[in-house]
């Protein structure tokens, strides 16, 4: 695997790369990421990944400073997963001047769910991904469905700007007890880690009830909220939405649905979702 710290170096190395498949990350890689890398191999000639902890998508007071940086271990995993090129720029390389030109996702995508609790988050994500796309110029890019809203926002961005990039979803990878793999799981204490799979259990139960015909989403959401609260969690949202645009489901009709949740356990904020 070739590691590139500069845009010029990466571009020179990718000149005869054929169809480029790109998997951007913020590092601290786990099996969720490496599954995406392996999946990427089947979609093109050259697999490019990036590691860049993007300051623009963190709010003041969030975990930008303590976000785990594990570069050497990440490189080993990328090599094992068959990645050809890693782009690992410094902040000065990717943002040599303040990034005043930004991608502003529409409020109906950016200010709901995660965006309600992390204002500006999706502006930061869309802006860095647009910039990484400009640098890497991939023909395809993979994003995990664990960050379901991020996948929706970036798919819409690519569609509305007519970027010539195929956006491919990756399934969420879970631990045996159901907890979705996440870089932030490393913040959990042993007791919290034992409690953490409850989030997935609550979502599974809610999804099962909807599949069995229960359409009282508000009551189902409230029950899941109450269960988490009773076990010491602080949920931000648990919400049944339409998969296509993450808006509330209509009273009639039967569009494909997804239930999404975010909740704090101690000082760790976990997110998860399940397609119904
Ligand atoms: O999902 C992530 O790790 C990040 O949001 C991404 C897409 C790499 C942009 O910084």
């Amino acid at each position: 695997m070739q590691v590139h710290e500069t845009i010029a170096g990466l571009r020179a190395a990718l000149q005869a790369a054929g169809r480029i498949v790109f998997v951007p990350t913020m590092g601290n890689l786990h099996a969720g990421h490496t599954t995406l890398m392996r999946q990427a191999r089947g979609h093109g000639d050259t697999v490019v990944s990036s590691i860049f902890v993007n300051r623009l998508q963190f709010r003041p007071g969030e975990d930008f400073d303590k976000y785990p940086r594990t570069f050497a271990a990440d490189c080993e995993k990328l090599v094992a997963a068959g990645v050809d090129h890693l782009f690992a720029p410094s902040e000065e390389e990717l943002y040599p001047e303040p990034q005043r030109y930004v991608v502003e996702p529409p409020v109906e995508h950016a200010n709901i769910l995660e965006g309600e609790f992390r204002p500006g988050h999706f502006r930061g994500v869309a802006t860095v991904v647009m910039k990484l796309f400009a640098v890497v110029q991939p023909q395809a890019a993979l994003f995990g469905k664990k960050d379901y809203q991020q996948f929706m926002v970036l798919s819409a961005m690519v569609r509305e700007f007519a970027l010539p990039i195929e956006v491919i979803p990756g399934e969420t990878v879970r631990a045996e007890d159901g907890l979705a793999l996440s870089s932030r799981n490393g913040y959990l204490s042993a007791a919290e880690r034992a409690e953490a799979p409850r989030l997935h259990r609550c979502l599974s139960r809610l999804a099962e009830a909807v599949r069995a015909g229960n359409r009282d989403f508000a009551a189902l959401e409230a029950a899941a909220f109450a269960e988490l609260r009773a076990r010491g969690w602080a949920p931000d949202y648990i919400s049944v939405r339409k998969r296509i645009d993450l808006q509330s489901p209509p009273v009639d009709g039967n569009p494909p649905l997804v239930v999404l949740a975010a909740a704090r356990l101690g000082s760790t904020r976990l997110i998860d979702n399940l397609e119904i």
Side-chain angles (χ1 to χ4, degrees), residues 24-26 52 54 57 125 128-129 143 147 150 154:
T25 82
M26 297 204 299
F52 181 70
N54 173 39
Q57 69 191 72
V125 171
V128 78
V129 171
F143 298 92
D147 295 299
Q150 170 172 281
L154 295 175

Side-chain angles (χ1 to χ4, degrees), residues 16-21 42-47 137-141 164 166 168:
R19 182 176 158 90
I20 297 172
V21 191
H43 290 276
D45 306 307
T46 300
V47 178
Q137 299 192 21
Q139 279 70 49
E166 184 188 356
I168 300 165

Side-chain angles (χ1 to χ4, degrees), residues 79-99:
V79 169
V83 169
D84 301 303
H85 296 269
L86 171 63
F87 179 49
S90 63
E91 280 203 88
E92 296 70 37
E93 179 68 11
L94 205 61
Y95 298 133
E97 56 188 322
Q99 186 70 33

